[in-house]
Amino acid sequence: MSVLYTIVPLEEVLAGWQAEEKINQGREVWVEGVYMQVEPIAPGVGKVIRLIHCGLDDYLNPQLSPGAVVKY
C-alpha cells in the first residue's frame, strides 16, 4: 500500500486512469507472423491496437496499422 501526499486535486491525479484500463483490455495474438494486441470486436475478429513483435516493414503495412480489422 502506498500513500501519496500532494496538493494536486484528486481529479487531476486520477485523470486518464480509466483510459489505461481500456487499453489493457486487448488480447495479444499472432496474425500472419506478427504478434499484436487487438481489441476483440467479434469472435475471431479484432481491431489492431498495437504491434508488439514484428519486422520493420510490417509497420508500413496498412492492413496491420492501428484501427485495422484483422482475423485471428
Side-chain angles (χ1 to χ4, degrees):
M1 177 194 263
S2 299
V3 178
L4 175 64
Y5 293 100
T6 181
I7 60 170
V8 178
L10 182 62
E11 294 80 23
E12 289 185 41
V13 172
L14 298 178
W17 180 69
Q18 292 176 341
E20 284 184 24
E21 288 182 8
K22 183 177 180 183
I23 291 172
N24 293 332
Q25 290 179 356
R27 166 182 264 169
E28 295 179 359
V29 296
W30 284 95
V31 177
E32 299 177 13
V34 176
Y35 193 56
M36 64 179 70
Q37 184 177 20
V38 298
E39 178 184 344
I41 55 176
V45 179
K47 187 179 351 177
V48 177
I49 297 173
R50 66 186 177 117
L51 303 181
I52 299 172
H53 181 73
C54 64
L56 294 177
D57 292 341
D58 293 324
Y59 287 105
L60 300 175
N61 186 347
Q63 296 173 343
L64 300 176
S65 64
V69 177
V70 295
K71 293 181 182 180
Y72 56 90

Short mmCIF file of all heavy atoms in Angstrom, two decimals:
data_model
loop_
_atom_site.label_atom_id
_atom_site.label_comp_id
_atom_site.label_asym_id
_atom_site.label_seq_id
_atom_site.Cartn_x
_atom_site.Cartn_y
_atom_site.Cartn_z
N MET A 1 0.84 -1.17 0.00
CA MET A 1 0.00 0.00 0.00
C MET A 1 0.89 1.23 0.00
O MET A 1 1.89 1.28 0.69
CB MET A 1 -0.92 0.00 1.22
CG MET A 1 -1.77 1.25 1.28
SD MET A 1 -2.56 1.49 2.84
CE MET A 1 -4.14 0.82 2.54
N SER A 2 0.50 2.22 -0.79
CA SER A 2 1.26 3.47 -0.87
C SER A 2 0.36 4.63 -0.51
O SER A 2 -0.85 4.59 -0.72
CB SER A 2 1.77 3.69 -2.28
OG SER A 2 2.63 2.65 -2.66
N VAL A 3 0.98 5.67 0.02
CA VAL A 3 0.26 6.90 0.34
C VAL A 3 0.89 8.01 -0.47
O VAL A 3 2.11 8.15 -0.53
CB VAL A 3 0.36 7.21 1.85
CG1 VAL A 3 -0.33 8.52 2.17
CG2 VAL A 3 -0.23 6.08 2.67
N LEU A 4 0.05 8.80 -1.11
CA LEU A 4 0.52 9.91 -1.94
C LEU A 4 0.09 11.21 -1.29
O LEU A 4 -1.10 11.49 -1.17
CB LEU A 4 -0.08 9.80 -3.36
CG LEU A 4 0.23 10.94 -4.30
CD1 LEU A 4 1.73 11.01 -4.59
CD2 LEU A 4 -0.55 10.80 -5.59
N TYR A 5 1.06 12.00 -0.85
CA TYR A 5 0.78 13.30 -0.27
C TYR A 5 1.03 14.35 -1.35
O TYR A 5 2.13 14.47 -1.86
CB TYR A 5 1.70 13.58 0.93
CG TYR A 5 1.42 12.67 2.10
CD1 TYR A 5 2.21 11.57 2.34
CD2 TYR A 5 0.35 12.93 2.95
CE1 TYR A 5 1.96 10.73 3.41
CE2 TYR A 5 0.08 12.10 4.03
CZ TYR A 5 0.90 11.00 4.25
OH TYR A 5 0.64 10.17 5.31
N THR A 6 0.00 15.10 -1.72
CA THR A 6 0.14 16.10 -2.78
C THR A 6 -0.91 17.19 -2.61
O THR A 6 -1.95 16.97 -1.97
CB THR A 6 -0.02 15.45 -4.17
OG1 THR A 6 0.14 16.45 -5.16
CG2 THR A 6 -1.34 14.76 -4.33
N ILE A 7 -0.62 18.35 -3.17
CA ILE A 7 -1.60 19.43 -3.16
C ILE A 7 -2.45 19.42 -4.43
O ILE A 7 -3.38 20.19 -4.57
CB ILE A 7 -0.90 20.81 -2.99
CG1 ILE A 7 0.06 21.05 -4.15
CG2 ILE A 7 -0.22 20.90 -1.66
CD1 ILE A 7 0.63 22.46 -4.20
N VAL A 8 -2.14 18.53 -5.34
CA VAL A 8 -2.87 18.41 -6.60
C VAL A 8 -4.23 17.78 -6.32
O VAL A 8 -4.32 16.79 -5.60
CB VAL A 8 -2.07 17.55 -7.61
CG1 VAL A 8 -2.84 17.39 -8.91
CG2 VAL A 8 -0.71 18.16 -7.86
N PRO A 9 -5.31 18.33 -6.88
CA PRO A 9 -6.64 17.76 -6.66
C PRO A 9 -6.71 16.30 -7.13
O PRO A 9 -6.07 15.91 -8.11
CB PRO A 9 -7.57 18.64 -7.51
CG PRO A 9 -6.82 19.91 -7.71
CD PRO A 9 -5.37 19.55 -7.70
N LEU A 10 -7.50 15.50 -6.44
CA LEU A 10 -7.63 14.08 -6.73
C LEU A 10 -8.06 13.84 -8.18
O LEU A 10 -7.60 12.90 -8.81
CB LEU A 10 -8.63 13.43 -5.77
CG LEU A 10 -8.84 11.94 -5.92
CD1 LEU A 10 -7.54 11.19 -5.65
CD2 LEU A 10 -9.93 11.45 -4.97
N GLU A 11 -8.92 14.70 -8.72
CA GLU A 11 -9.39 14.53 -10.10
C GLU A 11 -8.22 14.58 -11.09
O GLU A 11 -8.19 13.84 -12.07
CB GLU A 11 -10.42 15.61 -10.47
CG GLU A 11 -11.73 15.50 -9.71
CD GLU A 11 -11.64 16.11 -8.30
OE1 GLU A 11 -10.76 16.96 -8.05
OE2 GLU A 11 -12.43 15.70 -7.44
N GLU A 12 -7.25 15.45 -10.84
CA GLU A 12 -6.10 15.55 -11.74
C GLU A 12 -5.14 14.37 -11.56
O GLU A 12 -4.54 13.91 -12.53
CB GLU A 12 -5.36 16.86 -11.51
CG GLU A 12 -6.13 18.07 -12.01
CD GLU A 12 -5.32 19.34 -11.88
OE1 GLU A 12 -4.10 19.31 -12.15
OE2 GLU A 12 -5.91 20.37 -11.51
N VAL A 13 -5.00 13.91 -10.34
CA VAL A 13 -4.12 12.77 -10.09
C VAL A 13 -4.65 11.52 -10.79
O VAL A 13 -3.90 10.74 -11.37
CB VAL A 13 -3.98 12.51 -8.57
CG1 VAL A 13 -3.22 11.22 -8.31
CG2 VAL A 13 -3.28 13.68 -7.89
N LEU A 14 -5.96 11.33 -10.77
CA LEU A 14 -6.56 10.14 -11.35
C LEU A 14 -7.00 10.31 -12.80
O LEU A 14 -7.54 9.39 -13.40
CB LEU A 14 -7.77 9.71 -10.50
CG LEU A 14 -7.46 9.33 -9.05
CD1 LEU A 14 -8.72 8.96 -8.30
CD2 LEU A 14 -6.46 8.19 -8.99
N ALA A 15 -6.74 11.48 -13.40
CA ALA A 15 -7.12 11.72 -14.80
C ALA A 15 -6.42 10.72 -15.71
O ALA A 15 -5.22 10.50 -15.61
CB ALA A 15 -6.77 13.14 -15.20
N GLY A 16 -7.16 10.09 -16.59
CA GLY A 16 -6.61 9.13 -17.52
C GLY A 16 -6.51 7.72 -16.96
O GLY A 16 -6.16 6.79 -17.67
N TRP A 17 -6.82 7.54 -15.72
CA TRP A 17 -6.73 6.21 -15.10
C TRP A 17 -7.66 5.21 -15.77
O TRP A 17 -7.27 4.09 -16.04
CB TRP A 17 -7.05 6.33 -13.61
CG TRP A 17 -6.99 5.05 -12.87
CD1 TRP A 17 -5.89 4.30 -12.59
CD2 TRP A 17 -8.09 4.33 -12.31
NE1 TRP A 17 -6.22 3.19 -11.89
CE2 TRP A 17 -7.59 3.17 -11.70
CE3 TRP A 17 -9.46 4.55 -12.26
CZ2 TRP A 17 -8.39 2.25 -11.07
CZ3 TRP A 17 -10.25 3.64 -11.62
CH2 TRP A 17 -9.72 2.50 -11.03
N GLN A 18 -8.87 5.61 -16.09
CA GLN A 18 -9.82 4.70 -16.74
C GLN A 18 -9.41 4.43 -18.18
O GLN A 18 -9.67 3.36 -18.71
CB GLN A 18 -11.22 5.27 -16.70
CG GLN A 18 -11.78 5.30 -15.28
CD GLN A 18 -13.14 5.95 -15.23
OE1 GLN A 18 -13.53 6.67 -16.14
NE2 GLN A 18 -13.87 5.70 -14.15
N ALA A 19 -8.75 5.37 -18.84
CA ALA A 19 -8.30 5.16 -20.21
C ALA A 19 -7.26 4.04 -20.27
O ALA A 19 -7.23 3.26 -21.20
CB ALA A 19 -7.72 6.45 -20.78
N GLU A 20 -6.40 3.93 -19.25
CA GLU A 20 -5.42 2.86 -19.21
C GLU A 20 -6.09 1.50 -19.12
O GLU A 20 -5.63 0.54 -19.72
CB GLU A 20 -4.47 3.04 -18.02
CG GLU A 20 -3.45 4.12 -18.20
CD GLU A 20 -2.49 4.18 -17.04
OE1 GLU A 20 -2.32 3.16 -16.35
OE2 GLU A 20 -1.91 5.25 -16.83
N GLU A 21 -7.18 1.42 -18.38
CA GLU A 21 -7.89 0.15 -18.26
C GLU A 21 -8.41 -0.31 -19.61
O GLU A 21 -8.36 -1.48 -19.94
CB GLU A 21 -9.06 0.27 -17.27
CG GLU A 21 -8.63 0.36 -15.83
CD GLU A 21 -9.81 0.44 -14.89
OE1 GLU A 21 -10.95 0.26 -15.34
OE2 GLU A 21 -9.58 0.67 -13.70
N LYS A 22 -8.91 0.61 -20.42
CA LYS A 22 -9.43 0.25 -21.74
C LYS A 22 -8.32 -0.29 -22.63
O LYS A 22 -8.50 -1.26 -23.35
CB LYS A 22 -10.09 1.45 -22.40
CG LYS A 22 -10.71 1.11 -23.73
CD LYS A 22 -11.42 2.28 -24.34
CE LYS A 22 -12.03 1.88 -25.66
NZ LYS A 22 -12.69 2.98 -26.34
N ILE A 23 -7.15 0.32 -22.59
CA ILE A 23 -6.02 -0.13 -23.40
C ILE A 23 -5.61 -1.54 -23.00
O ILE A 23 -5.30 -2.37 -23.83
CB ILE A 23 -4.83 0.84 -23.28
CG1 ILE A 23 -5.18 2.15 -23.95
CG2 ILE A 23 -3.57 0.24 -23.88
CD1 ILE A 23 -4.18 3.24 -23.74
N ASN A 24 -5.64 -1.84 -21.70
CA ASN A 24 -5.19 -3.13 -21.22
C ASN A 24 -6.20 -4.25 -21.46
O ASN A 24 -5.92 -5.39 -21.16
CB ASN A 24 -4.85 -3.04 -19.73
CG ASN A 24 -3.64 -2.17 -19.48
OD1 ASN A 24 -2.78 -2.05 -20.34
ND2 ASN A 24 -3.58 -1.56 -18.33
N GLN A 25 -7.38 -3.95 -22.00
CA GLN A 25 -8.38 -4.97 -22.23
C GLN A 25 -8.14 -5.73 -23.54
O GLN A 25 -8.87 -6.64 -23.86
CB GLN A 25 -9.78 -4.35 -22.26
CG GLN A 25 -10.22 -3.87 -20.90
CD GLN A 25 -11.59 -3.24 -20.95
OE1 GLN A 25 -12.17 -3.10 -22.01
NE2 GLN A 25 -12.11 -2.87 -19.80
N GLY A 26 -7.14 -5.36 -24.27
CA GLY A 26 -6.87 -6.01 -25.54
C GLY A 26 -6.36 -7.43 -25.36
O GLY A 26 -5.93 -7.84 -24.29
N ARG A 27 -6.40 -8.18 -26.44
CA ARG A 27 -5.91 -9.57 -26.46
C ARG A 27 -4.68 -9.62 -27.35
O ARG A 27 -4.65 -9.00 -28.40
CB ARG A 27 -7.03 -10.45 -27.01
CG ARG A 27 -6.59 -11.82 -27.40
CD ARG A 27 -7.73 -12.60 -27.97
NE ARG A 27 -8.26 -13.37 -26.88
CZ ARG A 27 -9.39 -14.04 -26.90
NH1 ARG A 27 -10.14 -13.99 -27.97
NH2 ARG A 27 -9.78 -14.73 -25.89
N GLU A 28 -3.67 -10.35 -26.91
CA GLU A 28 -2.44 -10.48 -27.69
C GLU A 28 -2.52 -11.74 -28.54
O GLU A 28 -2.79 -12.82 -28.02
CB GLU A 28 -1.23 -10.49 -26.77
CG GLU A 28 -1.06 -9.16 -26.04
CD GLU A 28 0.11 -9.15 -25.09
OE1 GLU A 28 0.81 -10.17 -24.95
OE2 GLU A 28 0.33 -8.10 -24.47
N VAL A 29 -2.33 -11.58 -29.86
CA VAL A 29 -2.48 -12.69 -30.80
C VAL A 29 -1.39 -12.62 -31.87
O VAL A 29 -0.78 -11.58 -32.08
CB VAL A 29 -3.87 -12.67 -31.49
CG1 VAL A 29 -4.98 -12.88 -30.48
CG2 VAL A 29 -4.09 -11.39 -32.25
N TRP A 30 -1.17 -13.75 -32.55
CA TRP A 30 -0.30 -13.83 -33.72
C TRP A 30 -1.17 -13.79 -34.96
O TRP A 30 -2.11 -14.56 -35.08
CB TRP A 30 0.50 -15.13 -33.72
CG TRP A 30 1.63 -15.15 -32.74
CD1 TRP A 30 1.61 -15.65 -31.48
CD2 TRP A 30 2.95 -14.65 -32.95
NE1 TRP A 30 2.84 -15.49 -30.89
CE2 TRP A 30 3.68 -14.88 -31.78
CE3 TRP A 30 3.58 -14.02 -34.01
CZ2 TRP A 30 5.01 -14.51 -31.64
CZ3 TRP A 30 4.90 -13.65 -33.87
CH2 TRP A 30 5.62 -13.89 -32.70
N VAL A 31 -0.87 -12.90 -35.88
CA VAL A 31 -1.58 -12.81 -37.16
C VAL A 31 -0.53 -12.67 -38.26
O VAL A 31 0.24 -11.71 -38.26
CB VAL A 31 -2.54 -11.60 -37.20
CG1 VAL A 31 -3.20 -11.47 -38.55
CG2 VAL A 31 -3.58 -11.70 -36.10
N GLU A 32 -0.48 -13.64 -39.16
CA GLU A 32 0.46 -13.62 -40.29
C GLU A 32 1.90 -13.41 -39.82
O GLU A 32 2.66 -12.64 -40.42
CB GLU A 32 0.07 -12.55 -41.30
CG GLU A 32 -1.31 -12.77 -41.91
CD GLU A 32 -1.70 -11.66 -42.87
OE1 GLU A 32 -0.83 -10.85 -43.25
OE2 GLU A 32 -2.88 -11.59 -43.22
N GLY A 33 2.29 -14.06 -38.73
CA GLY A 33 3.65 -13.96 -38.23
C GLY A 33 3.95 -12.70 -37.45
O GLY A 33 5.10 -12.41 -37.14
N VAL A 34 2.92 -11.91 -37.14
CA VAL A 34 3.09 -10.67 -36.39
C VAL A 34 2.35 -10.80 -35.06
O VAL A 34 1.17 -11.15 -35.02
CB VAL A 34 2.53 -9.47 -37.19
CG1 VAL A 34 2.62 -8.19 -36.38
CG2 VAL A 34 3.25 -9.32 -38.51
N TYR A 35 3.08 -10.51 -33.96
CA TYR A 35 2.47 -10.56 -32.63
C TYR A 35 1.92 -9.17 -32.33
O TYR A 35 2.65 -8.18 -32.39
CB TYR A 35 3.52 -10.96 -31.60
CG TYR A 35 2.98 -11.33 -30.25
CD1 TYR A 35 2.01 -12.32 -30.11
CD2 TYR A 35 3.43 -10.71 -29.11
CE1 TYR A 35 1.53 -12.68 -28.88
CE2 TYR A 35 2.96 -11.07 -27.87
CZ TYR A 35 2.01 -12.05 -27.75
OH TYR A 35 1.52 -12.40 -26.51
N MET A 36 0.63 -9.08 -32.07
CA MET A 36 -0.01 -7.78 -31.89
C MET A 36 -1.06 -7.82 -30.80
O MET A 36 -1.49 -8.89 -30.36
CB MET A 36 -0.66 -7.34 -33.20
CG MET A 36 -1.80 -8.24 -33.66
SD MET A 36 -2.59 -7.70 -35.18
CE MET A 36 -1.32 -8.03 -36.37
N GLN A 37 -1.46 -6.64 -30.36
CA GLN A 37 -2.54 -6.50 -29.39
C GLN A 37 -3.76 -6.02 -30.16
O GLN A 37 -3.68 -5.05 -30.91
CB GLN A 37 -2.17 -5.51 -28.31
CG GLN A 37 -3.21 -5.39 -27.21
CD GLN A 37 -2.78 -4.45 -26.11
OE1 GLN A 37 -1.90 -3.61 -26.31
NE2 GLN A 37 -3.37 -4.57 -24.96
N VAL A 38 -4.88 -6.73 -29.99
CA VAL A 38 -6.12 -6.37 -30.68
C VAL A 38 -7.24 -6.20 -29.67
O VAL A 38 -7.21 -6.76 -28.59
CB VAL A 38 -6.52 -7.44 -31.73
CG1 VAL A 38 -5.48 -7.57 -32.81
CG2 VAL A 38 -6.80 -8.77 -31.09
N GLU A 39 -8.21 -5.41 -30.05
CA GLU A 39 -9.43 -5.25 -29.26
C GLU A 39 -10.49 -6.13 -29.93
O GLU A 39 -10.90 -5.85 -31.06
CB GLU A 39 -9.88 -3.79 -29.29
CG GLU A 39 -11.16 -3.54 -28.55
CD GLU A 39 -11.61 -2.09 -28.68
OE1 GLU A 39 -10.81 -1.23 -29.06
OE2 GLU A 39 -12.80 -1.83 -28.41
N PRO A 40 -10.94 -7.19 -29.24
CA PRO A 40 -11.93 -8.08 -29.85
C PRO A 40 -13.22 -7.33 -30.17
O PRO A 40 -13.74 -6.58 -29.34
CB PRO A 40 -12.17 -9.14 -28.79
CG PRO A 40 -10.98 -9.07 -27.89
CD PRO A 40 -10.53 -7.65 -27.92
N ILE A 41 -13.72 -7.52 -31.40
CA ILE A 41 -14.99 -6.90 -31.78
C ILE A 41 -16.02 -7.96 -32.17
O ILE A 41 -17.21 -7.65 -32.24
CB ILE A 41 -14.81 -5.87 -32.91
CG1 ILE A 41 -14.13 -6.47 -34.12
CG2 ILE A 41 -14.04 -4.66 -32.42
CD1 ILE A 41 -14.02 -5.52 -35.30
N ALA A 42 -15.56 -9.17 -32.44
CA ALA A 42 -16.43 -10.32 -32.75
C ALA A 42 -15.58 -11.57 -32.54
O ALA A 42 -14.36 -11.47 -32.45
CB ALA A 42 -16.92 -10.23 -34.19
N PRO A 43 -16.21 -12.74 -32.46
CA PRO A 43 -15.41 -13.96 -32.30
C PRO A 43 -14.42 -14.14 -33.46
O PRO A 43 -14.82 -14.19 -34.62
CB PRO A 43 -16.46 -15.08 -32.30
CG PRO A 43 -17.72 -14.42 -31.84
CD PRO A 43 -17.65 -13.01 -32.39
N GLY A 44 -13.12 -14.15 -33.14
CA GLY A 44 -12.09 -14.34 -34.15
C GLY A 44 -11.74 -13.10 -34.94
O GLY A 44 -10.96 -13.16 -35.87
N VAL A 45 -12.30 -11.95 -34.58
CA VAL A 45 -12.05 -10.70 -35.30
C VAL A 45 -11.71 -9.61 -34.28
O VAL A 45 -12.34 -9.53 -33.22
CB VAL A 45 -13.28 -10.27 -36.13
CG1 VAL A 45 -13.03 -8.96 -36.84
CG2 VAL A 45 -13.68 -11.35 -37.10
N GLY A 46 -10.70 -8.81 -34.61
CA GLY A 46 -10.32 -7.75 -33.69
C GLY A 46 -9.76 -6.54 -34.41
O GLY A 46 -9.34 -6.62 -35.56
N LYS A 47 -9.76 -5.41 -33.70
CA LYS A 47 -9.21 -4.18 -34.22
C LYS A 47 -7.80 -4.02 -33.66
O LYS A 47 -7.58 -4.16 -32.46
CB LYS A 47 -10.07 -2.99 -33.79
CG LYS A 47 -9.66 -1.71 -34.43
CD LYS A 47 -10.48 -0.47 -34.08
CE LYS A 47 -11.71 -0.67 -33.30
NZ LYS A 47 -12.38 0.59 -32.95
N VAL A 48 -6.82 -3.75 -34.51
CA VAL A 48 -5.43 -3.64 -34.10
C VAL A 48 -5.26 -2.44 -33.17
O VAL A 48 -5.68 -1.33 -33.49
CB VAL A 48 -4.50 -3.50 -35.32
CG1 VAL A 48 -3.06 -3.30 -34.87
CG2 VAL A 48 -4.63 -4.69 -36.24
N ILE A 49 -4.63 -2.70 -32.02
CA ILE A 49 -4.28 -1.63 -31.09
C ILE A 49 -2.82 -1.25 -31.28
O ILE A 49 -2.49 -0.09 -31.44
CB ILE A 49 -4.53 -2.05 -29.63
CG1 ILE A 49 -6.01 -2.33 -29.40
CG2 ILE A 49 -4.01 -1.00 -28.67
CD1 ILE A 49 -6.34 -2.90 -28.05
N ARG A 50 -1.94 -2.27 -31.27
CA ARG A 50 -0.52 -2.01 -31.47
C ARG A 50 0.19 -3.28 -31.89
O ARG A 50 -0.30 -4.38 -31.66
CB ARG A 50 0.13 -1.46 -30.19
CG ARG A 50 0.14 -2.46 -29.05
CD ARG A 50 0.66 -1.83 -27.77
NE ARG A 50 0.61 -2.80 -26.69
CZ ARG A 50 1.66 -3.26 -26.04
NH1 ARG A 50 2.87 -2.84 -26.37
NH2 ARG A 50 1.53 -4.13 -25.08
N LEU A 51 1.33 -3.11 -32.55
CA LEU A 51 2.18 -4.23 -32.94
C LEU A 51 3.21 -4.43 -31.84
O LEU A 51 3.85 -3.47 -31.40
CB LEU A 51 2.86 -3.96 -34.27
CG LEU A 51 1.94 -3.66 -35.46
CD1 LEU A 51 2.77 -3.43 -36.71
CD2 LEU A 51 0.94 -4.77 -35.66
N ILE A 52 3.40 -5.67 -31.41
CA ILE A 52 4.32 -5.96 -30.32
C ILE A 52 5.64 -6.53 -30.85
O ILE A 52 6.71 -6.10 -30.47
CB ILE A 52 3.67 -6.93 -29.32
CG1 ILE A 52 2.43 -6.29 -28.72
CG2 ILE A 52 4.67 -7.34 -28.23
CD1 ILE A 52 1.61 -7.21 -27.85
N HIS A 53 5.55 -7.54 -31.73
CA HIS A 53 6.76 -8.18 -32.27
C HIS A 53 6.56 -8.37 -33.76
O HIS A 53 5.71 -9.15 -34.18
CB HIS A 53 6.99 -9.52 -31.58
CG HIS A 53 8.21 -10.24 -32.05
ND1 HIS A 53 9.46 -9.84 -31.70
CD2 HIS A 53 8.36 -11.31 -32.86
CE1 HIS A 53 10.34 -10.66 -32.27
NE2 HIS A 53 9.68 -11.55 -32.98
N CYS A 54 7.35 -7.63 -34.55
CA CYS A 54 7.21 -7.72 -36.00
C CYS A 54 8.46 -7.17 -36.66
O CYS A 54 9.32 -6.59 -36.00
CB CYS A 54 5.98 -6.94 -36.47
SG CYS A 54 6.10 -5.18 -36.14
N GLY A 55 8.53 -7.33 -37.96
CA GLY A 55 9.61 -6.75 -38.73
C GLY A 55 9.34 -5.27 -38.99
O GLY A 55 8.21 -4.79 -38.84
N LEU A 56 10.38 -4.54 -39.38
CA LEU A 56 10.21 -3.11 -39.63
C LEU A 56 9.26 -2.83 -40.78
O LEU A 56 8.52 -1.84 -40.76
CB LEU A 56 11.58 -2.47 -39.90
CG LEU A 56 12.54 -2.48 -38.70
CD1 LEU A 56 13.88 -1.88 -39.12
CD2 LEU A 56 11.96 -1.73 -37.54
N ASP A 57 9.24 -3.68 -41.79
CA ASP A 57 8.35 -3.48 -42.93
C ASP A 57 6.88 -3.62 -42.54
O ASP A 57 6.01 -3.03 -43.19
CB ASP A 57 8.67 -4.47 -44.05
CG ASP A 57 10.02 -4.20 -44.68
OD1 ASP A 57 10.52 -3.07 -44.53
OD2 ASP A 57 10.55 -5.11 -45.33
N ASP A 58 6.59 -4.37 -41.48
CA ASP A 58 5.20 -4.56 -41.06
C ASP A 58 4.56 -3.27 -40.58
O ASP A 58 3.35 -3.10 -40.65
CB ASP A 58 5.12 -5.63 -39.97
CG ASP A 58 5.48 -7.01 -40.50
OD1 ASP A 58 5.15 -7.30 -41.66
OD2 ASP A 58 6.10 -7.79 -39.75
N TYR A 59 5.37 -2.32 -40.08
CA TYR A 59 4.82 -1.04 -39.64
C TYR A 59 4.29 -0.23 -40.82
O TYR A 59 3.45 0.66 -40.64
CB TYR A 59 5.88 -0.22 -38.90
CG TYR A 59 6.19 -0.75 -37.52
CD1 TYR A 59 7.36 -1.43 -37.27
CD2 TYR A 59 5.29 -0.56 -36.48
CE1 TYR A 59 7.64 -1.92 -36.00
CE2 TYR A 59 5.56 -1.06 -35.22
CZ TYR A 59 6.75 -1.73 -34.99
OH TYR A 59 7.01 -2.22 -33.73
N LEU A 60 4.76 -0.52 -42.03
CA LEU A 60 4.31 0.19 -43.23
C LEU A 60 3.11 -0.47 -43.89
O LEU A 60 2.55 0.07 -44.83
CB LEU A 60 5.46 0.30 -44.23
CG LEU A 60 6.71 1.03 -43.73
CD1 LEU A 60 7.81 0.96 -44.78
CD2 LEU A 60 6.37 2.47 -43.40
N ASN A 61 2.73 -1.65 -43.42
CA ASN A 61 1.60 -2.40 -43.99
C ASN A 61 0.29 -1.79 -43.50
O ASN A 61 -0.01 -1.87 -42.31
CB ASN A 61 1.71 -3.87 -43.59
CG ASN A 61 0.66 -4.74 -44.25
OD1 ASN A 61 -0.29 -4.24 -44.83
ND2 ASN A 61 0.86 -6.03 -44.16
N PRO A 62 -0.52 -1.21 -44.37
CA PRO A 62 -1.77 -0.59 -43.93
C PRO A 62 -2.77 -1.59 -43.34
O PRO A 62 -3.64 -1.22 -42.56
CB PRO A 62 -2.33 0.07 -45.19
CG PRO A 62 -1.60 -0.55 -46.33
CD PRO A 62 -0.31 -1.06 -45.80
N GLN A 63 -2.63 -2.89 -43.69
CA GLN A 63 -3.53 -3.90 -43.14
C GLN A 63 -3.22 -4.21 -41.68
O GLN A 63 -4.02 -4.86 -41.00
CB GLN A 63 -3.45 -5.18 -43.96
CG GLN A 63 -3.93 -4.99 -45.38
CD GLN A 63 -3.67 -6.22 -46.24
OE1 GLN A 63 -2.88 -7.08 -45.90
NE2 GLN A 63 -4.35 -6.27 -47.38
N LEU A 64 -2.06 -3.76 -41.18
CA LEU A 64 -1.67 -4.01 -39.80
C LEU A 64 -1.60 -2.72 -38.98
O LEU A 64 -1.15 -2.72 -37.85
CB LEU A 64 -0.30 -4.70 -39.75
CG LEU A 64 -0.21 -6.05 -40.46
CD1 LEU A 64 1.21 -6.58 -40.41
CD2 LEU A 64 -1.18 -7.05 -39.85
N SER A 65 -2.05 -1.62 -39.54
CA SER A 65 -1.98 -0.34 -38.83
C SER A 65 -3.04 -0.29 -37.73
O SER A 65 -4.07 -0.97 -37.80
CB SER A 65 -2.16 0.82 -39.81
OG SER A 65 -3.44 0.78 -40.36
N PRO A 66 -2.81 0.52 -36.68
CA PRO A 66 -3.81 0.64 -35.62
C PRO A 66 -5.17 1.05 -36.16
O PRO A 66 -5.27 1.95 -36.99
CB PRO A 66 -3.22 1.72 -34.71
CG PRO A 66 -1.75 1.63 -34.95
CD PRO A 66 -1.61 1.27 -36.40
N GLY A 67 -6.19 0.34 -35.73
CA GLY A 67 -7.55 0.60 -36.21
C GLY A 67 -7.99 -0.36 -37.30
O GLY A 67 -9.19 -0.48 -37.57
N ALA A 68 -7.04 -1.04 -37.92
CA ALA A 68 -7.38 -2.01 -38.97
C ALA A 68 -8.03 -3.24 -38.33
O ALA A 68 -7.72 -3.61 -37.20
CB ALA A 68 -6.14 -2.41 -39.75
N VAL A 69 -8.92 -3.86 -39.05
CA VAL A 69 -9.62 -5.06 -38.57
C VAL A 69 -8.91 -6.29 -39.13
O VAL A 69 -8.66 -6.37 -40.33
CB VAL A 69 -11.10 -5.03 -38.98
CG1 VAL A 69 -11.81 -6.30 -38.54
CG2 VAL A 69 -11.79 -3.80 -38.38
N VAL A 70 -8.58 -7.25 -38.23
CA VAL A 70 -7.89 -8.46 -38.63
C VAL A 70 -8.63 -9.69 -38.09
O VAL A 70 -9.35 -9.59 -37.10
CB VAL A 70 -6.43 -8.48 -38.12
CG1 VAL A 70 -5.62 -7.39 -38.78
CG2 VAL A 70 -6.36 -8.39 -36.63
N LYS A 71 -8.43 -10.80 -38.76
CA LYS A 71 -8.97 -12.09 -38.28
C LYS A 71 -7.84 -12.85 -37.61
O LYS A 71 -6.72 -12.87 -38.12
CB LYS A 71 -9.52 -12.92 -39.44
CG LYS A 71 -10.72 -12.32 -40.10
CD LYS A 71 -11.21 -13.20 -41.22
CE LYS A 71 -12.41 -12.55 -41.91
NZ LYS A 71 -12.92 -13.36 -43.00
N TYR A 72 -8.14 -13.47 -36.47
CA TYR A 72 -7.13 -14.25 -35.77
C TYR A 72 -7.65 -15.61 -35.40
O TYR A 72 -8.82 -15.87 -35.48
CB TYR A 72 -6.60 -13.52 -34.54
CG TYR A 72 -7.63 -13.10 -33.54
CD1 TYR A 72 -7.99 -13.94 -32.50
CD2 TYR A 72 -8.24 -11.85 -33.60
CE1 TYR A 72 -8.93 -13.54 -31.56
CE2 TYR A 72 -9.17 -11.45 -32.68
CZ TYR A 72 -9.51 -12.31 -31.65
OH TYR A 72 -10.44 -11.92 -30.71
#
